[in-house]
Amino acid sequence: MLVTSSRKPSAKSRTLCKLLSRFIAGRCISRGKMGMQELLEFAEGGPLIVVGEYHGNPGELSFYDDAGKLLFSLRFSDWYSEEINSYWFPDVEPVLAGQGEIADALESFFHFNRVESDKVDQLPPRSTLMVAGEKEIDFMGSGKSLFKLTVKGFKKY
């Protein structure tokens, strides 16, 4: 899975690309002048996530399938935990929790195992967890919130 940014990303967008790719055990690249076709070739047949900007800050995630079809997008405002720089992401696939249309879309895109919300506390101690709700997506590690995206809009294509 490949995570990249808009053509001229801000430092915050580059940081979010790196965090997201580390969290999902994907790859992060600087887009530069690459068009969509070049990005898809670079993704080597895998899905693609593009971090878009709004007023110089990361503000949208666009999710593309391996053929380059836009599946859905999320508009958000971001928040970073101060602990994120010291957190080590284990090389394990995250688990997904949550209900609703956004959680369903993320599950179909990532194919992460999904757990019921009441079973989250039974996960192993070094687990990474993506908790998706209608208004917020929380990226957690070892039971702590690492970073959050406050959802402002969701659109399926």
Side-chain angles (χ1 to χ4, degrees):
M1 187 163 311
L2 184 65
V3 181
T4 190
S5 62
S6 55
R7 290 183 186 249
K8 293 182 181 179
S10 66
K12 287 182 180 181
S13 291
R14 287 191 304 269
T15 299
L16 181 59
C17 284
K18 290 175 191 172
L19 290 174
L20 189 56
S21 68
R22 283 173 41 202
F23 188 86
I24 63 172
R27 294 183 307 149
C28 177
I29 63 162
S30 297
R31 180 173 180 177
K33 294 183 180 182
M34 278 192 259
M36 279 304 292
Q37 190 59 39
E38 291 170 294
L39 285 173
L40 292 169
E41 289 171 13
F42 204 89
E44 299 173 346
L48 173 69
I49 302 171
V50 178
V51 177
E53 292 192 352
Y54 183 73
H55 293 287
N57 290 308
E60 182 173 30
L61 294 177
S62 298
F63 296 83
Y64 295 86
D65 67 9
D66 50 8
K69 180 182 176 210
L70 180 59
L71 301 173
F72 62 96
S73 62
L74 287 166
R75 283 192 32 238
F76 65 90
S77 59
D78 63 317
W79 172 83
Y80 298 102
S81 169
E82 294 179 12
E83 299 177 23
I84 192 72
N85 292 329
S86 64
Y87 185 77
W88 171 76
F89 289 92
D91 194 21
V92 296
E93 189 173 272
V95 177
L96 177 68
Q99 299 295 323
E101 192 175 25
I102 294 173
D104 293 343
L106 291 171
E107 180 182 25
S108 68
F109 183 80
F110 289 113
H111 304 291
F112 293 159
N113 289 329
R114 194 163 177 178
V115 298
E116 296 297 323
S117 298
D118 60 345
K119 307 265 192 236
V120 167
D121 56 350
Q122 297 172 7
L123 292 172
R126 297 290 289 171
S127 297
T128 53
L129 174 68
M130 186 185 305
V131 181
E134 294 302 315
K135 300 290 181 190
E136 184 175 84
I137 302 172
D138 197 356
F139 297 81
M140 302 177 70
S142 299
K144 297 178 187 174
S145 178
L146 302 174
F147 62 103
K148 294 180 186 183
L149 304 176
T150 303
V151 177
K152 300 291 184 188
F154 172 75
K155 186 173 183 182
K156 286 180 97 172
Y157 296 94

PDB file of all heavy atoms in Angstrom, residues 37-55:
ATOM      1  N   GLN A  37      -1.078   8.213 -13.136  1.00  0.00           N
ATOM      2  CA  GLN A  37      -0.622   6.989 -13.782  1.00  0.00           C
ATOM      3  C   GLN A  37       0.740   6.566 -13.236  1.00  0.00           C
ATOM      4  O   GLN A  37       0.963   5.393 -12.950  1.00  0.00           O
ATOM      5  CB  GLN A  37      -0.560   7.171 -15.313  1.00  0.00           C
ATOM      6  CG  GLN A  37      -0.329   5.884 -16.050  1.00  0.00           C
ATOM      7  CD  GLN A  37      -1.420   4.847 -15.781  1.00  0.00           C
ATOM      8  OE1 GLN A  37      -2.606   5.162 -15.694  1.00  0.00           O
ATOM      9  NE2 GLN A  37      -1.026   3.602 -15.629  1.00  0.00           N
ATOM     10  N   GLU A  38       1.633   7.527 -13.056  1.00  0.00           N
ATOM     11  CA  GLU A  38       2.957   7.213 -12.500  1.00  0.00           C
ATOM     12  C   GLU A  38       2.854   6.730 -11.053  1.00  0.00           C
ATOM     13  O   GLU A  38       3.567   5.819 -10.647  1.00  0.00           O
ATOM     14  CB  GLU A  38       3.864   8.444 -12.574  1.00  0.00           C
ATOM     15  CG  GLU A  38       4.251   8.816 -13.991  1.00  0.00           C
ATOM     16  CD  GLU A  38       4.941  10.161 -14.036  1.00  0.00           C
ATOM     17  OE1 GLU A  38       4.267  11.169 -13.731  1.00  0.00           O
ATOM     18  OE2 GLU A  38       6.141  10.198 -14.364  1.00  0.00           O
ATOM     19  N   LEU A  39       1.959   7.340 -10.280  1.00  0.00           N
ATOM     20  CA  LEU A  39       1.753   6.903  -8.896  1.00  0.00           C
ATOM     21  C   LEU A  39       1.256   5.470  -8.846  1.00  0.00           C
ATOM     22  O   LEU A  39       1.712   4.674  -8.029  1.00  0.00           O
ATOM     23  CB  LEU A  39       0.754   7.814  -8.176  1.00  0.00           C
ATOM     24  CG  LEU A  39       1.260   9.179  -7.749  1.00  0.00           C
ATOM     25  CD1 LEU A  39       0.113  10.024  -7.212  1.00  0.00           C
ATOM     26  CD2 LEU A  39       2.353   9.060  -6.721  1.00  0.00           C
ATOM     27  N   LEU A  40       0.325   5.135  -9.730  1.00  0.00           N
ATOM     28  CA  LEU A  40      -0.214   3.776  -9.763  1.00  0.00           C
ATOM     29  C   LEU A  40       0.869   2.765 -10.153  1.00  0.00           C
ATOM     30  O   LEU A  40       0.920   1.667  -9.613  1.00  0.00           O
ATOM     31  CB  LEU A  40      -1.400   3.699 -10.710  1.00  0.00           C
ATOM     32  CG  LEU A  40      -2.641   4.453 -10.248  1.00  0.00           C
ATOM     33  CD1 LEU A  40      -3.677   4.540 -11.356  1.00  0.00           C
ATOM     34  CD2 LEU A  40      -3.223   3.814  -9.005  1.00  0.00           C
ATOM     35  N   GLU A  41       1.738   3.143 -11.078  1.00  0.00           N
ATOM     36  CA  GLU A  41       2.854   2.269 -11.446  1.00  0.00           C
ATOM     37  C   GLU A  41       3.789   2.094 -10.266  1.00  0.00           C
ATOM     38  O   GLU A  41       4.276   0.994  -9.999  1.00  0.00           O
ATOM     39  CB  GLU A  41       3.608   2.838 -12.648  1.00  0.00           C
ATOM     40  CG  GLU A  41       2.830   2.759 -13.942  1.00  0.00           C
ATOM     41  CD  GLU A  41       3.486   3.526 -15.078  1.00  0.00           C
ATOM     42  OE1 GLU A  41       4.661   3.920 -14.953  1.00  0.00           O
ATOM     43  OE2 GLU A  41       2.804   3.727 -16.098  1.00  0.00           O
ATOM     44  N   PHE A  42       4.054   3.183  -9.549  1.00  0.00           N
ATOM     45  CA  PHE A  42       4.932   3.134  -8.381  1.00  0.00           C
ATOM     46  C   PHE A  42       4.312   2.289  -7.270  1.00  0.00           C
ATOM     47  O   PHE A  42       5.014   1.648  -6.500  1.00  0.00           O
ATOM     48  CB  PHE A  42       5.223   4.550  -7.886  1.00  0.00           C
ATOM     49  CG  PHE A  42       6.482   4.665  -7.116  1.00  0.00           C
ATOM     50  CD1 PHE A  42       7.676   4.921  -7.759  1.00  0.00           C
ATOM     51  CD2 PHE A  42       6.502   4.521  -5.736  1.00  0.00           C
ATOM     52  CE1 PHE A  42       8.859   5.026  -7.053  1.00  0.00           C
ATOM     53  CE2 PHE A  42       7.665   4.627  -5.017  1.00  0.00           C
ATOM     54  CZ  PHE A  42       8.850   4.878  -5.677  1.00  0.00           C
ATOM     55  N   ALA A  43       2.976   2.265  -7.193  1.00  0.00           N
ATOM     56  CA  ALA A  43       2.275   1.475  -6.179  1.00  0.00           C
ATOM     57  C   ALA A  43       2.337  -0.020  -6.483  1.00  0.00           C
ATOM     58  O   ALA A  43       1.952  -0.832  -5.648  1.00  0.00           O
ATOM     59  CB  ALA A  43       0.821   1.921  -6.065  1.00  0.00           C
ATOM     60  N   GLU A  44       2.811  -0.371  -7.658  1.00  0.00           N
ATOM     61  CA  GLU A  44       3.008  -1.766  -8.065  1.00  0.00           C
ATOM     62  C   GLU A  44       1.741  -2.605  -7.922  1.00  0.00           C
ATOM     63  O   GLU A  44       1.749  -3.692  -7.360  1.00  0.00           O
ATOM     64  CB  GLU A  44       4.163  -2.392  -7.283  1.00  0.00           C
ATOM     65  CG  GLU A  44       5.480  -1.696  -7.501  1.00  0.00           C
ATOM     66  CD  GLU A  44       6.586  -2.199  -6.599  1.00  0.00           C
ATOM     67  OE1 GLU A  44       6.302  -2.903  -5.613  1.00  0.00           O
ATOM     68  OE2 GLU A  44       7.745  -1.871  -6.884  1.00  0.00           O
ATOM     69  N   GLY A  45       0.644  -2.069  -8.427  1.00  0.00           N
ATOM     70  CA  GLY A  45      -0.597  -2.819  -8.421  1.00  0.00           C
ATOM     71  C   GLY A  45      -1.346  -2.825  -7.105  1.00  0.00           C
ATOM     72  O   GLY A  45      -2.348  -3.504  -6.973  1.00  0.00           O
ATOM     73  N   GLY A  46      -0.877  -2.066  -6.134  1.00  0.00           N
ATOM     74  CA  GLY A  46      -1.552  -2.000  -4.849  1.00  0.00           C
ATOM     75  C   GLY A  46      -2.401  -0.758  -4.730  1.00  0.00           C
ATOM     76  O   GLY A  46      -2.366   0.122  -5.585  1.00  0.00           O
ATOM     77  N   PRO A  47      -3.174  -0.654  -3.665  1.00  0.00           N
ATOM     78  CA  PRO A  47      -4.008   0.526  -3.447  1.00  0.00           C
ATOM     79  C   PRO A  47      -3.157   1.751  -3.091  1.00  0.00           C
ATOM     80  O   PRO A  47      -1.987   1.646  -2.722  1.00  0.00           O
ATOM     81  CB  PRO A  47      -4.913   0.132  -2.289  1.00  0.00           C
ATOM     82  CG  PRO A  47      -4.266  -1.026  -1.646  1.00  0.00           C
ATOM     83  CD  PRO A  47      -3.368  -1.664  -2.645  1.00  0.00           C
ATOM     84  N   LEU A  48      -3.776   2.901  -3.202  1.00  0.00           N
ATOM     85  CA  LEU A  48      -3.085   4.175  -3.036  1.00  0.00           C
ATOM     86  C   LEU A  48      -3.911   5.103  -2.151  1.00  0.00           C
ATOM     87  O   LEU A  48      -5.138   5.167  -2.287  1.00  0.00           O
ATOM     88  CB  LEU A  48      -2.896   4.806  -4.427  1.00  0.00           C
ATOM     89  CG  LEU A  48      -2.347   6.204  -4.547  1.00  0.00           C
ATOM     90  CD1 LEU A  48      -0.876   6.244  -4.132  1.00  0.00           C
ATOM     91  CD2 LEU A  48      -2.489   6.691  -5.983  1.00  0.00           C
ATOM     92  N   ILE A  49      -3.224   5.820  -1.255  1.00  0.00           N
ATOM     93  CA  ILE A  49      -3.862   6.854  -0.436  1.00  0.00           C
ATOM     94  C   ILE A  49      -3.146   8.165  -0.717  1.00  0.00           C
ATOM     95  O   ILE A  49      -1.917   8.237  -0.622  1.00  0.00           O
ATOM     96  CB  ILE A  49      -3.767   6.538   1.073  1.00  0.00           C
ATOM     97  CG1 ILE A  49      -4.401   5.191   1.380  1.00  0.00           C
ATOM     98  CG2 ILE A  49      -4.419   7.656   1.894  1.00  0.00           C
ATOM     99  CD1 ILE A  49      -4.155   4.716   2.808  1.00  0.00           C
ATOM    100  N   VAL A  50      -3.899   9.202  -1.067  1.00  0.00           N
ATOM    101  CA  VAL A  50      -3.325  10.516  -1.334  1.00  0.00           C
ATOM    102  C   VAL A  50      -3.797  11.476  -0.253  1.00  0.00           C
ATOM    103  O   VAL A  50      -5.000  11.612  -0.019  1.00  0.00           O
ATOM    104  CB  VAL A  50      -3.722  11.044  -2.732  1.00  0.00           C
ATOM    105  CG1 VAL A  50      -3.155  12.444  -2.958  1.00  0.00           C
ATOM    106  CG2 VAL A  50      -3.246  10.093  -3.822  1.00  0.00           C
ATOM    107  N   VAL A  51      -2.840  12.133   0.412  1.00  0.00           N
ATOM    108  CA  VAL A  51      -3.136  13.136   1.432  1.00  0.00           C
ATOM    109  C   VAL A  51      -3.221  14.490   0.740  1.00  0.00           C
ATOM    110  O   VAL A  51      -2.236  14.979   0.191  1.00  0.00           O
ATOM    111  CB  VAL A  51      -2.049  13.165   2.536  1.00  0.00           C
ATOM    112  CG1 VAL A  51      -2.343  14.258   3.545  1.00  0.00           C
ATOM    113  CG2 VAL A  51      -1.952  11.805   3.218  1.00  0.00           C
ATOM    114  N   GLY A  52      -4.407  15.083   0.743  1.00  0.00           N
ATOM    115  CA  GLY A  52      -4.615  16.391   0.141  1.00  0.00           C
ATOM    116  C   GLY A  52      -4.557  17.482   1.196  1.00  0.00           C
ATOM    117  O   GLY A  52      -4.596  17.219   2.399  1.00  0.00           O
ATOM    118  N   GLU A  53      -4.459  18.717   0.725  1.00  0.00           N
ATOM    119  CA  GLU A  53      -4.334  19.854   1.639  1.00  0.00           C
ATOM    120  C   GLU A  53      -5.514  20.804   1.538  1.00  0.00           C
ATOM    121  O   GLU A  53      -6.183  20.879   0.511  1.00  0.00           O
ATOM    122  CB  GLU A  53      -3.048  20.619   1.340  1.00  0.00           C
ATOM    123  CG  GLU A  53      -1.811  19.846   1.675  1.00  0.00           C
ATOM    124  CD  GLU A  53      -0.557  20.694   1.649  1.00  0.00           C
ATOM    125  OE1 GLU A  53      -0.609  21.869   1.217  1.00  0.00           O
ATOM    126  OE2 GLU A  53       0.474  20.181   2.079  1.00  0.00           O
ATOM    127  N   TYR A  54      -5.709  21.527   2.623  1.00  0.00           N
ATOM    128  CA  TYR A  54      -6.696  22.594   2.697  1.00  0.00           C
ATOM    129  C   TYR A  54      -6.049  23.729   3.472  1.00  0.00           C
ATOM    130  O   TYR A  54      -5.703  23.556   4.646  1.00  0.00           O
ATOM    131  CB  TYR A  54      -7.967  22.082   3.394  1.00  0.00           C
ATOM    132  CG  TYR A  54      -9.075  23.092   3.444  1.00  0.00           C
ATOM    133  CD1 TYR A  54      -9.782  23.414   2.291  1.00  0.00           C
ATOM    134  CD2 TYR A  54      -9.404  23.743   4.617  1.00  0.00           C
ATOM    135  CE1 TYR A  54     -10.800  24.353   2.314  1.00  0.00           C
ATOM    136  CE2 TYR A  54     -10.417  24.681   4.655  1.00  0.00           C
ATOM    137  CZ  TYR A  54     -11.112  24.980   3.500  1.00  0.00           C
ATOM    138  OH  TYR A  54     -12.111  25.917   3.528  1.00  0.00           O
ATOM    139  N   HIS A  55      -5.829  24.848   2.832  1.00  0.00           N
ATOM    140  CA  HIS A  55      -5.172  26.009   3.431  1.00  0.00           C
ATOM    141  C   HIS A  55      -3.808  25.649   4.038  1.00  0.00           C
ATOM    142  O   HIS A  55      -3.482  26.045   5.161  1.00  0.00           O
ATOM    143  CB  HIS A  55      -6.057  26.678   4.490  1.00  0.00           C
ATOM    144  CG  HIS A  55      -7.274  27.321   3.926  1.00  0.00           C
ATOM    145  ND1 HIS A  55      -7.240  28.488   3.199  1.00  0.00           N
ATOM    146  CD2 HIS A  55      -8.575  26.945   3.963  1.00  0.00           C
ATOM    147  CE1 HIS A  55      -8.464  28.820   2.824  1.00  0.00           C
ATOM    148  NE2 HIS A  55      -9.295  27.889   3.268  1.00  0.00           N
TER     149      HIS A  55
END
